[in-house]
Amino acid sequence: MEDSREPTGAVHIHGTGPVQKLGSRCLPLTLIVGDYDRTRPLLDGRVQVDGIDLNARSGQIGDFCLRPVYEEYDVAEMSLSWYIMARCRREPVIALPVFPLRMFVHPYIFCRSDAAYAHPKDLVGRRVGIPRYRLTVALWIRGILKEYYDVAPENLLWVTTAEEGAGFRLPPDVSVTRLAGANVEELLLRGEVDALFSAVIPDAFRRGDPRIRRLFPDCRTEVEGYFRSTQIFPITHTIVMGESLYRRAPWVAERLVAAFREAHKQCEDFYLADPKHLTLPRAVFILEEERATFGADLWSHGVSPNRHVLETFVRYAHEQGYIPEPLSLDQLFPDNTLAL
């Protein structure tokens, strides 16, 4: 068995210099996470973790929502909705207050271009396609539509195309029809559903297909207004580790939180050093506009700066039947990370 005691005298590497040895008592761990710019310094080894010999690899973002990837690695990215369901079931997994994926969900609501819809209220009584009802993006969309647009989940007719999985049970008060094996994007284009809630940008939209558009006519303004009134940048994924590993080596949790923070700092420093680092013609304006609109700490890790976001998410999950009772944040994250 590997020695999981906290190493002493470890050297934490920052920057892009050569990797240094961290001592003979490094704990070997495997990590899988999406290949985001903010995690790449961990994936390529620029950021090392004190006392840990980290074997990091990238995975497909969708896998963290659809497969129990966390069972195959010591540390793994995981869908936030799947995680809180697993936590309620007392599965042996615990999350770090690290949030590698966040996204505004308004831009992921689509309809046909020839529809007269311009507001979520226009979808009441309509058919909404989504691959799985339980997806974290859908949880956020439904919560936002109910709280800010007065459109409850039971006001819509849901059409799914795949088994839910993750131990999720559909709530009894919503209408859900499953068309096994169908393609939700094609259902929208053929007019068999009236709207599409998606975790990704549909291929047809990316190709410029004239038959599909976003529901909100001015989606950018809608997102900015939502953020101004809520200060919420929705969290969709977290990082988890096995409870047995945490019990053996609780120091690992603190070290990993620090490492993810350092990786994000290196990413942000790179962009801010010179807009020319980005392959975007208007990068100089984009960086200025993003910080002016959303502030400098939008991707912060830790419980404290994200408390209102996480509490909103837990409330939505309870209201929508993902979990039988609300969880406090100290039930979701290790004790030694709550104040980080």
Side-chain angles (χ1 to χ4, degrees):
M1 179 179 294
E2 297 292 341
D3 186 350
S4 56
R5 292 173 296 172
E6 182 172 6
T8 57
V11 179
H12 196 164
I13 313 300
H14 296 308
T16 58
V19 174
Q20 300 178 25
K21 296 294 184 182
L22 298 180
S24 59
R25 286 177 46 211
C26 288
L27 178 66
L29 293 180
T30 56
L31 162 71
I32 186 166
V33 68
D35 184 16
Y36 312 111
D37 54 359
R38 52 202 172 271
T39 58
R40 202 163 294 148
L42 266 171
L43 290 168
D44 65 20
R46 279 176 286 160
V47 171
Q48 298 285 298
V49 189
D50 287 354
I52 296 174
D53 180 10
L54 192 65
N55 179 7
R57 60 159 293 186
S58 62
Q60 295 297 316
I61 298 173
D63 284 351
F64 305 126
C65 311
L66 306 179
R67 290 199 304 110
V69 177
Y70 64 95
E71 296 178 351
E72 304 168 20
Y73 295 82
D74 297 312
V75 185
E77 184 173 341
M78 187 178 186
S79 153
L80 188 56
S81 62
W82 192 340
Y83 169 65
I84 64 168
M85 289 190 291
R87 193 71 178 153
C88 273
R89 295 191 295 259
R90 301 185 183 280
E91 293 184 19
V93 63
I94 191 161
L96 308 178
V98 170
F99 311 110
L101 185 60
R102 310 172 73 137
M103 54 193 284
F104 289 113
V105 297
H106 301 68
Y108 292 83
I109 306 175
F110 296 88
C111 63
R112 284 182 56 90
S113 298
D114 57 6
Y117 316 140
H119 188 278
K121 278 281 193 182
D122 298 330
L123 299 181
V124 170
R126 303 290 183 176
R127 300 158 299 175
V128 174
I130 187 168
R132 290 170 174 82
Y133 187 90
R134 70 166 175 86
L135 296 179
T136 303
V137 169
L139 185 158
W140 272 112
I141 292 176
R142 286 189 296 266
I144 289 169
L145 294 193
K146 180 178 180 180
E147 185 164 6
Y148 299 100
Y149 299 95
D150 197 28
V151 177
E154 56 269 25
N155 297 150
L156 307 176
L157 305 176
W158 300 91
V159 179
T160 65
T161 60
E163 294 270 1
E164 293 296 331
F168 178 76
R169 294 185 179 181
L170 290 166
D173 57 345
V174 296
S175 169
V176 181
T177 301
R178 185 159 72 92
L179 302 179
N183 181 303
V184 286
E185 186 176 333
E186 289 299 322
L187 292 177
L188 178 67
L189 296 177
R190 293 198 300 264
E192 296 177 37
V193 297
D194 303 293
L196 169 64
F197 293 179
S198 181
V200 298
I201 300 300
D203 289 339
F205 186 84
R206 288 195 297 172
R207 294 194 307 266
D209 191 314
R211 296 174 293 172
I212 185 173
R213 63 171 174 86
R214 289 192 167 101
L215 171 68
F216 294 104
D218 187 355
C219 198
R220 184 188 298 267
T221 298
E222 202 73 27
V223 164
E224 292 173 359
Y226 168 76
F227 182 76
R228 276 197 305 273
S229 64
T230 66
Q231 295 298 295
I232 288 177
F233 183 27
I235 294 169
T236 54
H237 287 190
T238 186
I239 297 292
V240 301
M241 61 190 292
E243 273 201 323
S244 61
L245 170 60
Y246 176 69
R247 286 194 297 269
R248 283 191 294 119
W251 57 270
V252 167
E254 299 172 74
R255 301 287 178 88
L256 288 171
V257 172
F260 274 95
R261 280 182 165 152
E262 174 62 20
H264 174 258
K265 180 180 182 299
Q266 290 192 14
C267 168
E268 189 169 67
D269 288 349
F270 178 75
Y271 289 143
L272 294 179
D274 193 334
K276 294 188 288 295
H277 287 149
L278 280 76
T279 312
L280 298 169
R282 295 184 297 173
V284 62
F285 302 118
I286 291 171
L287 289 173
E288 293 167 0
E289 291 165 1
E290 290 292 293
R291 290 175 74 84
T293 303
F294 301 113
D297 300 316
L298 205 58
W299 289 89
S300 294
H301 298 307
V303 172
S304 181
N306 293 291
R307 181 171 295 277
H308 67 302
V309 182
L310 293 164
E311 289 177 344
T312 298
F313 183 84
V314 170
R315 173 165 58 87
Y316 287 170
H318 178 240
E319 290 173 352
Q320 296 178 37
Y322 286 70
I323 52 178
E325 57 188 23
L327 295 171
S328 63
L329 299 190
D330 59 6
Q331 292 175 283
L332 294 177
F333 304 103
D335 290 343
N336 63 341
T337 68
L338 295 175
L340 294 179

